[in-house]
Amino acid sequence: MTQTTPAEICLARWARSIRTSPLQTMLTKCRPAISFALGLPGPELLPAEQLSVAAAAVLASGPGALQYGPPSEELRHQIVEIMRWRGVECKASEVFLTSGAQQGLSILAKLLIGPRGRVVCEKYVYTGFLQAIEPMMPEVHTIETDAWSGPDIDGLEALLTRVADPGFLYINATGHNPLSLTLGGEARIRLVKLSARALTIVEDDPYGLLQYEGDSAALKSASPSSIIYVGSFSKILSPALRVGWLVAPEHLHTALASIKEGSDINTGTFSQRVACRFIASGGLREHVSKLACAYRRRRDFMLDALARTLPSGSRWTTPSAGIFIWVELPEPYDAVELLDRALSEHGVAFLPGVAFCAKDSAHESARRSLRLNFSHCTEDQIEEGMRRIAVILRDW
Ligand code: PMP
């Protein structure tokens, strides 16, 4: 048996803390000078002025702005239009407002998986999804995937013959977190076909509007009822607003509302109305284009830095959407040890691949993989962060 190294102990703690401690706790605990770790928007790209105008207008509309109240009907109609940008035709009555995509996932886990039910996801998965389903203590069935080929749909079909009635398949088809992949046409067609055969798919799509090449429509665009869509304003407006939405069949809304009420009693109407004002001013489309343009530049800048920095035998993705690059280092590099040293000696953070493994059994390549975020840092910070990582790799 191999000895447990300090880096492994650190990794176990790190991965556990990612999965169990709130984002805020993690942010305050770990303050690296340069962070490629989290999926934060670029701070200077947040539309603070326009949002302050929108917030002032909402407050000026009367005390109702600060009162308990029903979800914003106007915002639900605006989301119908946003869904059209993603190729989806839906009705306002199908839009269910949530406190961020995360709450949407959590409500869906309670509704569709239930206690100790079954759920299917990829081997590499958004850690917040694992947090959302954890209270259900589900049987998690995973399918093979990687950042270059995407999910193994043959494997999924085989799995579905063995696993009866999974609550749903969780998929992040555009700008995958963490693998950064956007699914190609064939995989999409096969998934949609599967969804038509009584498999509910939960499509988590916070990055769908941040596309740099191509224009992939949401999976839901091809299958109106069996795919439940999870959307968010976090990456395209501001994560602090905590406004997200589901597009789900109307017959599920009473149950969704009841579960939501159990967790927050009332909905964040102030934030919803601020988002609504901002959108009504006509600024969202322009803002999203501005973000896509800025993030494309940052992505290219980071790709260029990776080509100069990483040892030969490394490979990395060129994401056409989203805010992450997935890197795989060759042997004998170890992303956890690299993180240890990057954090403690150089003030640089990223997340190691193992943090995203759906089950504790990390795959062989996970230890050599890292997820780098490119939306949060400026070009200067990207340059400096990669220079520091290069120093560690050179002295390995
Ligand atoms: N899904 C994915 C894939 C994400 O990356 C995130 C945020 N990092 C979320 C859901 C949660 O987003 P929100 O801020 O809207 O809760």
Side-chain angles (χ1 to χ4, degrees), residues 365-385:
S365 63
R367 277 200 75 91
R368 293 184 280 108
S369 303
L370 37 146
R371 188 197 74 173
L372 297 174
N373 164 265
F374 57 80
S375 58
H376 179 59
C377 289
T378 60
E379 290 179 5
D380 286 348
Q381 289 169 325
I382 293 173
E383 181 68 28
E384 178 57 18

Side-chain angles (χ1 to χ4, degrees), residues 152-186:
D152 171 13
I153 312 285
D154 290 334
L156 171 63
E157 285 175 348
L159 185 143
L160 292 173
T161 63
R162 295 192 308 273
V163 176
D165 298 327
F168 60 85
L169 163 74
Y170 170 79
I171 211 95
N172 184 197
T174 309
H176 189 282
N177 179 7
L179 297 177
S180 82
L181 182 91
T182 291
L183 284 192
E186 197 200 321

Side-chain angles (χ1 to χ4, degrees), residues 39 99-103 105 126 170 172 177 204 206-207 231-235 239 242-243 324:
S99 177
Q102 189 65 27
Q103 188 187 47
L105 292 174
Y126 163 55
Y170 170 79
N172 184 197
N177 179 7
D204 190 10
Y207 307 106
S232 174
F233 286 108
S234 288
K235 314 295 169 166
R242 308 308 305 136
V243 183
F324 305 107

Side-chain angles (χ1 to χ4, degrees), residues 19-356:
R19 290 192 187 168
T20 56
S21 64
L23 176 67
Q24 212 50 40
T25 317
M26 188 180 149
L27 279 168
T28 43
K29 265 193 205 154
C30 155
R31 289 177 185 272
I34 299 175
S35 178
F36 305 133
L38 300 175
L40 308 187
E44 63 293 325
L45 295 164
L46 294 166
E49 259 177 50
Q50 298 100 304
L51 283 174
S52 82
V53 171
V58 173
L59 285 170
S61 70
L66 296 174
Q67 190 55 277
Y68 285 117
S72 165
E73 203 49 44
E74 196 181 340
L75 183 61
R76 291 169 82 194
H77 281 90
Q78 289 168 327
I79 288 170
V80 168
E81 176 58 24
I82 293 172
M83 291 307 299
R84 265 190 209 119
W85 303 349
R86 298 292 295 120
V88 177
E89 287 297 328
C90 66
K91 295 186 284 210
S93 53
E94 293 172 285
V95 176
F96 183 86
L97 296 177
T98 59
S99 177
Q102 189 65 27
Q103 188 187 47
L105 292 174
S106 168
I107 296 173
L108 289 173
K110 290 192 177 114
L111 179 65
L112 301 175
I113 307 176
R116 296 182 195 281
R118 302 179 192 92
V119 68
V120 182
C121 65
E122 293 166 88
K123 282 201 163 178
Y124 286 107
V125 73
Y126 163 55
T127 46
F129 169 70
L130 299 175
Q131 289 175 298
I133 62 172
E134 210 163 74
M136 296 294 104
M137 295 192 283
E139 262 177 42
V140 180
H141 295 270
T142 55
I143 49 172
E144 290 294 335
T145 191
D146 79 27
W148 291 271
S149 332
D152 171 13
I153 312 285
D154 290 334
L156 171 63
E157 285 175 348
L159 185 143
L160 292 173
T161 63
R162 295 192 308 273
V163 176
D165 298 327
F168 60 85
L169 163 74
Y170 170 79
I171 211 95
N172 184 197
T174 309
H176 189 282
N177 179 7
L179 297 177
S180 82
L181 182 91
T182 291
L183 284 192
E186 197 200 321
R188 284 170 186 262
I189 291 166
R190 292 183 69 186
L191 285 172
V192 168
K193 275 193 186 146
L194 280 175
S195 79
R197 297 209 307 259
L199 170 71
T200 300
I201 294 185
V202 169
E203 178 182 24
D204 190 10
D205 194 42
Y207 307 106
L209 289 170
L210 295 175
Q211 296 194 44
Y212 313 118
E213 281 97 28
D215 186 12
S216 289
L219 211 54
K220 184 166 176 63
S221 64
S223 176
S225 60
S226 49
I227 300 184
I228 298 181
Y229 181 94
V230 184
S232 174
F233 286 108
S234 288
K235 314 295 169 166
I236 55 169
L237 195 49
S238 157
L241 290 175
R242 308 308 305 136
V243 183
W245 68 93
L246 303 176
V247 181
E250 282 170 59
H251 70 267
L252 295 179
H253 283 220
T254 308
L256 291 171
S258 150
I259 297 170
K260 183 176 186 302
E261 211 174 292
S263 83
D264 64 2
I265 302 218
N266 200 229
T267 198
T269 48
F270 181 68
S271 283
Q272 290 173 11
R273 290 176 67 181
V274 171
C276 182
R277 282 274 173 165
F278 178 92
I279 297 166
S281 73
L284 184 63
R285 195 101 216 213
E286 197 185 318
H287 183 62
V288 169
S289 310
K290 183 175 147 190
L291 288 179
C293 194
Y295 292 163
R296 185 190 297 115
R297 274 180 59 114
R298 287 180 186 188
R299 176 201 67 172
D300 291 345
F301 202 82
M302 188 175 263
L303 288 171
D304 190 56
L306 290 172
R308 284 183 279 112
T309 307
L310 296 184
S312 78
S314 305
R315 59 175 182 162
W316 56 90
T317 56
T318 299
S320 62
I323 55 175
F324 305 107
I325 294 174
W326 184 260
V327 175
E328 214 176 271
L329 297 170
E331 294 289 359
Y333 296 99
D334 181 313
V336 177
E337 210 177 315
L338 180 65
L339 171 66
D340 243 0
R341 285 158 69 177
L343 259 181
S344 58
E345 297 162 26
H346 298 269
V348 180
F350 59 83
L351 289 188
V354 282
F356 301 97

